[in-house]
Structures are given as structure tokens and as C-alpha cells.
Amino acid sequence: MSIRIGILGYGNLGRGIECAIKQNPDMELAAVFTRRDPKSVHILTEGVPVYHVDEAVSKKDEIDVLVLCGGSATDLPEQTPKFAESFNVIDSFDTHARIPEHFANVDAAAKKSNHIAMISVGWDPGMFSLNRVYGSAVLPEGESYTFWGKGVSQGHSDAIRRIEGVLDARQYTIPVESALEAVRAGEQPELSTREKHTRECFVVAKEGADLARIEQEIKTMPNYFADYDTTVHFISKEELMRDHAGIPHGGFVFRSGATGWNKENKHVVEYSLKLDSNPEFTSSVIVAFARAAYRMHQEGMTGCKTVFDVAPAYLSPMSPEELRAHML
Amino acid sequence: MSIRIGILGYGNLGRGIECAIKQNPDMELAAVFTRRDPKSVHILTEGVPVYHVDEAVSKKDEIDVLVLCGGSATDLPEQTPKFAESFNVIDSFDTHARIPEHFANVDAAAKKSNHIAMISVGWDPGMFSLNRVYGSAVLPEGESYTFWGKGVSQGHSDAIRRIEGVLDARQYTIPVESALEAVRAGEQPELSTREKHTRECFVVAKEGADLARIEQEIKTMPNYFADYDTTVHFISKEELMRDHAGIPHGGFVFRSGATGWNKENKHVVEYSLKLDSNPEFTSSVIVAFARAAYRMHQEGMTGCKTVFDVAPAYLSPMSPEELRAHML
């Protein structure tokens, strides 16, 4: 019997979940829930119902794991504890500073209802977090480094769009090559914010807008750009659509450490991602962890879990015997 | 209270375990066991006893996890099941083809005695295996690639040493750069053995030996060299000692896959290791998994486990709360 997945929220992430389910023969899409008029939402999978979100709880017996595809700012802090009362759930909550609070709320709800609720699944938090933990556990005497990009930052693109005179914008976060090389060489450099990443902005301005003022406002924007070397390119709407329609991302996690009685031997562990589609890769990670959530619940586990709590064998469709014979 | 580690077998790996314990404040070295005369074995840690291996079982109450540092060919198939009767144990059994058989033997012993026995821990099998499982679970439509090197292969060096006229030798396994680049670019190439790795040999020959014959014997040796492009350099004993005394190694695990309704988006996951000392890095991985073995046993788990069965949180000295707050 397939693992029956529900999707709550059908944007980029929800569509990515739908595509990922198609690649996993042990899973099936059971239903999509939306806050919009269900008749207005057209999904890719034939024969699967779209319901209003208010109907979700009434369908709980038809769904093994509900994937929550809302945003971290306002949706998930409310949705994940709420739906953990009725479902095994999984989310991609990515506001790092608020994870402990989110964990506590979700854990209480999931323990009370005897469900598994997995939070903060994706690539950062997610696969990058795993590599930070493996790296630091294996090389305790060392330094960890995370670099992001080259990729589109939605938050930074939005910040540019809020500037007067801007019609649209796309911001790329780019790791500084010389910093990557120094870390890769085992030098364990201390790196400032500016030394780790640069920011490149492609901006469509309104006709007649003051471009010099817009560029100045971007480059001096606190938190978002002021601490970085930022370049701004003004381009046409057509160029933006043609050259910057994708949502690529990626990055690097390094652990650089030393071993030996006198730390005489250096080691560098590097994990990197190059992603054509940030939401689709995030979705693919979520679907693998949804399999784990289902299995862990089958074994009687309950409560809130993160990627740190999941033995890797739970993620794979292979049996433990197959994994040992072919993957170890 | 510290986790008390015992070391059985004091060669390169045993010494590496000793060094790794020093880097982990929650662990202590309790004893070293050797097949040699214990008086002849001088360890680095002050005040820790060295016993003959025959005394090991009598010290079982003083040791939380016994690390078995023997070889995979003959030592571990016998030692791991045997000592799992009296201890939580961990080994680095690396004969991939015989893992299912080893698992079955060790599992029976460990379950009977209510211990945890962790097998095949290190970097391959070990960290590389983990990355193969994570990669294929997260990108089911794709290809996995493992490359080794640049690094010293002990088995290949030994094979050269067995040739008539050879005094000593060191063999490096080297990944083919163009193959790495093709995989990194998401091309999913089909690669033959010869296209993935080259072999470079540094050989010290006896005075007057027939160098042409030695080179020919190396290059045509079945299994070891015949399927590879191999280069042979004859050097002096002094050059070998000066330039090739280290035991570096490393390698790459890639997962290259596609997502999207029509597989329109490509993704490449790359994990790589650059290690100055193969045995010391292996030891560092083992010690982190020894922590996990201890904790899992404390929670009542028993039987044979591999890296696939270990939730990453067990590896870290940090608490679950600290991990979520700082590493997620």
C-alpha cells in the first residue's frame, strides 16, 4: 500500500511536492488543500481532489502525512501545531531563530495526538544542517562554514521591489570564490559578512525613475545589502523574464579540522548543492522525510522531530537488507 | 561521567582512536588490548593500562564501548561477533561484499547479549555510504557516483610489493579530473573503470632488478591495475621515505538528478573529503559513532547497527536543544 500524502498550500512548494511524489512509486498524492476557491486550482495529477483547507480535518483518515507548504512568517507557526492535532505533518519552517519556539508548540500538539510532526525540512534548514552536525561531530577540533549561492534570494528580491520606482527585481547571492578556496585549502580563515558573499541585483525600473537614487537605496539598505559588496544592473522587463525566470540556488557546507596527538593532520569535508530549482529540491527532500515520518509513526514514535532525529535508513525506499548490500 | 572507550588492536587505527578520544571531552580511554606483549606496547595517553587481548573480557565492566581495530580480512569476522557477547562494540569492517554475512553474525551475538554492535564505520563504508543514501532518497531520478582519491591504497601498494625485485612501493588512486567535471556539470555520464580513476605507483626496486619487467608486471596485473591507466615511477628508498610517508586519502560522492513534472530541472549534490591521514579520519568517525552506540544502548536498543541506523543527533556531544538552536 502506498503512503498517502496530502498537500496543504499549492504554490511553488506544493507543486514541487506533487512532482516529487510522482518520482516515488511507494507514495501517492491523496488530496490538495487550498485557501483559494478549490475550483480555481488546477493541479497536475489526474483524478486527485482539491479541497478547501477548511475540509482538511474531515479527510484525516485518507492521509498518512500532510505536507504543509505555507510560509514561515505567519502560516506555519499557526498551521503546523494545528494540523499536528489531526495528522502526521511535515513543514519547511526556515526562520532559524524561532525554531526552538516552533518546536515546543508543535511537539506539544503532536505528543497529545500521538502523531509525528517533522519541522524545518529542506536544504537549509535540512541537508545543510545535517552536514553541520556530521562535520562537527566527526571533526570536533575545527571550524564550520556555510556559504549560500549562487542563487536567488526571495527576501532580498522582495526588499528591492519595495523601493519607490522599482517594477520588478531579482537578487542573486554569490559566494566569494577566494573565500571558498581558502576554506577548501584548510586555512580556517575568519571571514566577515562582506568576505563571504556578494549580492548582484537585476532591477526593472519605472520609466523616468531616478536610477542613481534606486541604486543608492539598494546598496545602503541595512541588514539586506549594507554589509555586502552589491552590484546593481538595470534591465528591461523582457530581459528579466528571459534571463532570470528560474529559481536556482545552492551553496556549500564545509568542516575543516585537524586530528592527531598534536593536531598535525588536516582534513576538509565539503558538501555542496547546485540546484536548478530551489522549491523543487526542497520538495524532494521533504518527500523523503515524509516517508520517514510515516515509518517512524508506524513504529509508534510521536512528537516533533527534526532531520537530526531521523536515522537515514527511514528515508530510503530500499529495505535495510538492500541498503546494507548495495549502499554501505 | 565520561564514556569509557576500550581499544582492541594498537596499530594506525588504534592510535587514531586514542587521538580522537583526546578531542572529545565526554569520552575517556579506559584500556588498550593487544595481541603483542603488553609491556612492548607504549601508548600516548598517560595512566591508561595496556592489557593482553586475553584479558579483555575480564575488564568488560570498565568499558562502555570497545573499538575493534583489526583488519577486515581475518580479524573482524571473528572478533566482532565474539566481543559483542561481552561489550558494546564498533568496527570498521570494509569488505563491502561480505557485509551482509558479517551483519548477520554480529547481530545474532549482540542481540543475545543485549549489546549494540556497530559495524562498517569510517568514511567508505561510512560517511560515503550515508551520502549515497541521502542522495538517492532525495533525488530518486538520478545517478550516484563515487570517486576515490587522491590517496594511498594500501591493498594496491601491497600488491606491488609482492612483485619479484620490488623493495617497497606506494600506490596512489587518482580520480580523472574530466570525469569529475562531467559529473559535476550534471551530465550523468556512463563511466568505465578506466575513465573514473588512474593509478600512480612509486616503486623502490632492488639493485640490478629488471625495471621494465616490474613495470610490465604492475601494469598488467589483473583486478589491481590491468583495467586502469597506470604510471610507474622508480625512486630511491630515501625519496619514498621523504615524499610518500603520509597516508592521505579522500574522494567524492555525487548524486546527480532531475526534478519537475517532466524532469526539467537538474540538481547536483557533491560530498567530498580531503584527508591528510586516512586512519585518523576513520578513527574520528568511529569515535563519534561510539558515542551514538553508547547512547543507543543506554536507551535500550540492541543488535547490529550500521551508519544508516543512527539518527545524527546521537553523534553530537550537544543536547537536542542545543542542536536545534545552533545547528539546524
Side-chain angles (χ1 to χ4, degrees):
Chain A
M1 206 181 83
S2 300
I3 303 171
R4 300 165 305 170
I5 305 290
I7 294 173
L8 196 145
Y10 193 71
N12 281 335
L13 192 64
R15 233 181 332 265
I17 299 291
E18 183 181 20
C19 294
I21 290 168
K22 187 190 178 192
Q23 296 193 338
N24 287 280
D26 62 337
M27 312 189 120
E28 62 179 274
L29 179 60
V32 170
F33 303 98
T34 178
R35 284 182 292 205
R36 294 175 270 168
D37 175 1
K39 285 195 207 71
S40 73
V41 173
H42 302 286
I43 67 170
L44 300 164
T45 313
E46 280 183 34
V48 170
V50 180
Y51 299 115
H52 191 269
V53 66
D54 291 344
E55 296 185 76
V57 174
S58 73
K59 308 291 178 192
K60 65 179 182 177
D61 294 335
E62 296 160 33
I63 286 164
D64 294 313
V65 184
L66 182 64
V67 182
L68 303 172
C69 299
S72 296
T74 55
D75 296 334
L76 298 175
E78 188 218 318
Q79 289 177 347
T80 313
K82 177 181 158 190
F83 288 104
E85 291 173 8
S86 309
F87 297 90
N88 297 314
V89 297
I90 185 163
D91 78 20
S92 58
F93 185 78
D94 66 358
T95 311
H96 291 261
R98 296 186 60 195
I99 285 174
E101 171 192 346
H102 188 55
F103 181 91
N105 294 336
V106 173
D107 194 46
K111 280 202 175 125
K112 202 169 155 193
S113 71
N114 290 319
H115 286 105
I116 285 269
M118 231 172 252
I119 63 162
S120 302
V121 179
W123 60 273
D124 197 1
M127 300 310 298
F128 273 20
S129 321
L130 285 171
N131 278 279
R132 288 188 284 263
V133 166
Y134 280 119
S136 59
V138 158
L139 291 172
E141 300 269 0
E143 289 293 330
S144 297
Y145 298 87
T146 301
F147 294 87
W148 297 275
K150 181 182 176 176
V152 173
S153 164
Q154 214 54 59
H156 288 78
S157 301
D158 289 344
I160 299 171
R161 286 189 201 100
R162 287 192 292 267
I163 293 174
E164 168 78 35
V166 171
L167 282 174
D168 203 352
R170 196 76 83 255
Q171 193 270 184
Y172 294 91
T173 305
I174 305 169
V176 173
E177 195 58 43
S178 59
L180 289 179
E181 286 308 323
V183 173
R184 201 171 273 142
E187 292 174 16
Q188 297 192 21
E190 279 199 43
L191 297 167
S192 67
T193 299
R194 192 176 300 273
E195 287 167 332
K196 287 185 74 184
H197 298 92
T198 56
R199 300 197 176 278
E200 188 170 24
C201 313
F202 294 87
V203 181
V204 182
K206 280 184 190 148
E207 225 183 287
D210 179 349
L211 303 188
R213 185 214 15 105
I214 290 173
E215 180 165 346
Q216 181 66 10
E217 276 195 44
I218 294 172
K219 289 185 170 178
T220 57
M221 195 185 296
N223 302 318
Y224 286 89
F225 294 99
D227 298 334
Y228 299 86
D229 291 336
T230 301
T231 53
V232 177
H233 310 279
F234 290 97
I235 61 174
S236 69
K237 183 87 198 162
E238 292 67 39
E239 286 170 316
L240 191 84
M241 301 282 278
R242 186 190 68 203
D243 302 333
H244 304 284
I247 322 174
H249 219 314
F252 304 80
V253 174
F254 291 92
R255 182 68 179 182
S256 175
T259 65
W261 197 249
N262 298 304
K263 301 195 217 175
E264 57 272 31
N265 288 308
K266 284 187 188 178
H267 309 277
V268 178
V269 184
E270 177 174 353
Y271 179 81
S272 73
L273 296 173
K274 266 186 299 202
L275 313 175
D276 273 0
S277 165
N278 183 352
E280 285 182 9
F281 186 77
T282 300
S283 300
S284 294
V285 176
I286 289 173
V287 165
F289 279 87
R291 176 183 290 120
Y294 171 77
R295 291 175 170 177
M296 291 164 75
H297 185 249
Q298 292 280 100
E299 291 186 8
M301 297 184 217
T302 65
C304 189
K305 307 289 176 191
T306 74
V307 294
F308 301 146
D309 304 310
V310 178
Y314 286 116
L315 301 171
S316 173
M318 290 187 186
S319 70
E321 291 74 17
E322 288 174 310
L323 286 175
R324 287 192 295 268
H326 304 298
M327 306 295 272
L328 198 58
Chain B
M1 207 181 83
S2 300
I3 303 171
R4 301 165 302 171
I5 306 289
I7 294 173
L8 196 144
Y10 194 72
N12 281 335
L13 192 63
R15 231 180 335 262
I17 299 291
E18 182 180 22
C19 294
I21 291 168
K22 187 189 177 196
Q23 296 193 338
N24 286 281
D26 61 337
M27 311 188 122
E28 63 179 273
L29 179 60
V32 171
F33 302 98
T34 178
R35 284 183 291 206
R36 293 175 269 168
D37 175 1
K39 286 195 207 73
S40 74
V41 173
H42 301 286
I43 68 171
L44 300 164
T45 313
E46 281 183 35
V48 170
V50 179
Y51 299 115
H52 191 268
V53 65
D54 292 344
E55 296 185 75
V57 174
S58 73
K59 308 291 178 190
K60 65 179 182 177
D61 295 335
E62 296 160 34
I63 286 163
D64 294 312
V65 184
L66 183 64
V67 182
L68 303 173
C69 300
S72 297
T74 54
D75 296 334
L76 297 175
E78 187 219 318
Q79 288 176 346
T80 312
K82 177 181 159 192
F83 288 104
E85 292 173 8
S86 309
F87 297 91
N88 296 313
V89 297
I90 184 164
D91 78 20
S92 59
F93 185 78
D94 66 359
T95 311
H96 291 262
R98 296 186 60 194
I99 286 174
E101 171 193 345
H102 188 56
F103 182 92
N105 294 337
V106 173
D107 194 46
K111 280 203 176 121
K112 200 169 157 195
S113 71
N114 291 320
H115 286 105
I116 285 268
M118 231 173 254
I119 63 161
S120 302
V121 179
W123 61 274
D124 198 359
M127 300 310 298
F128 273 19
S129 321
L130 285 171
N131 277 278
R132 288 188 285 262
V133 167
Y134 280 119
S136 59
V138 158
L139 291 173
E141 300 268 2
E143 288 294 330
S144 296
Y145 297 87
T146 301
F147 293 87
W148 297 274
K150 183 180 175 176
V152 173
S153 164
Q154 214 53 60
H156 288 77
S157 301
D158 289 344
I160 299 171
R161 285 189 202 103
R162 288 192 292 265
I163 293 174
E164 169 77 35
V166 171
L167 282 175
D168 203 353
R170 195 78 81 253
Q171 193 269 185
Y172 294 91
T173 305
I174 305 170
V176 174
E177 194 59 41
S178 59
L180 289 179
E181 286 307 324
V183 172
R184 200 171 274 143
E187 292 173 16
Q188 297 192 21
E190 279 200 42
L191 296 166
S192 67
T193 298
R194 192 177 300 274
E195 287 167 332
K196 288 185 72 183
H197 298 93
T198 56
R199 300 199 175 279
E200 188 169 23
C201 313
F202 294 87
V203 181
V204 181
K206 279 186 192 148
E207 224 183 287
D210 180 348
L211 304 188
R213 190 225 355 119
I214 292 173
E215 180 165 345
Q216 181 66 10
E217 278 196 43
I218 294 172
K219 289 184 169 179
T220 57
M221 195 185 295
N223 302 318
Y224 285 90
F225 294 99
D227 298 333
Y228 299 85
D229 290 337
T230 301
T231 53
V232 177
H233 310 278
F234 290 97
I235 61 173
S236 69
K237 184 87 198 163
E238 292 67 37
E239 286 169 314
L240 191 83
M241 300 283 277
R242 186 191 67 202
D243 302 334
H244 305 283
I247 322 175
H249 220 313
F252 303 80
V253 174
F254 290 91
R255 182 69 179 182
S256 175
T259 64
W261 196 249
N262 298 304
K263 302 195 214 173
E264 58 272 32
N265 288 307
K266 283 188 189 176
H267 308 277
V268 177
V269 184
E270 177 174 352
Y271 179 81
S272 74
L273 296 173
K274 267 187 299 204
L275 313 175
D276 274 359
S277 165
N278 183 352
E280 285 182 11
F281 186 77
T282 300
S283 300
S284 293
V285 175
I286 290 172
V287 165
F289 279 87
R291 176 183 291 117
Y294 171 76
R295 291 173 170 179
M296 290 165 75
H297 185 248
Q298 291 281 99
E299 291 186 9
M301 295 184 217
T302 64
C304 189
K305 307 288 175 191
T306 74
V307 294
F308 301 145
D309 305 309
V310 179
Y314 286 116
L315 301 171
S316 173
M318 291 188 186
S319 70
E321 291 75 17
E322 287 174 310
L323 286 175
R324 286 191 295 269
H326 304 297
M327 306 295 272
L328 198 58

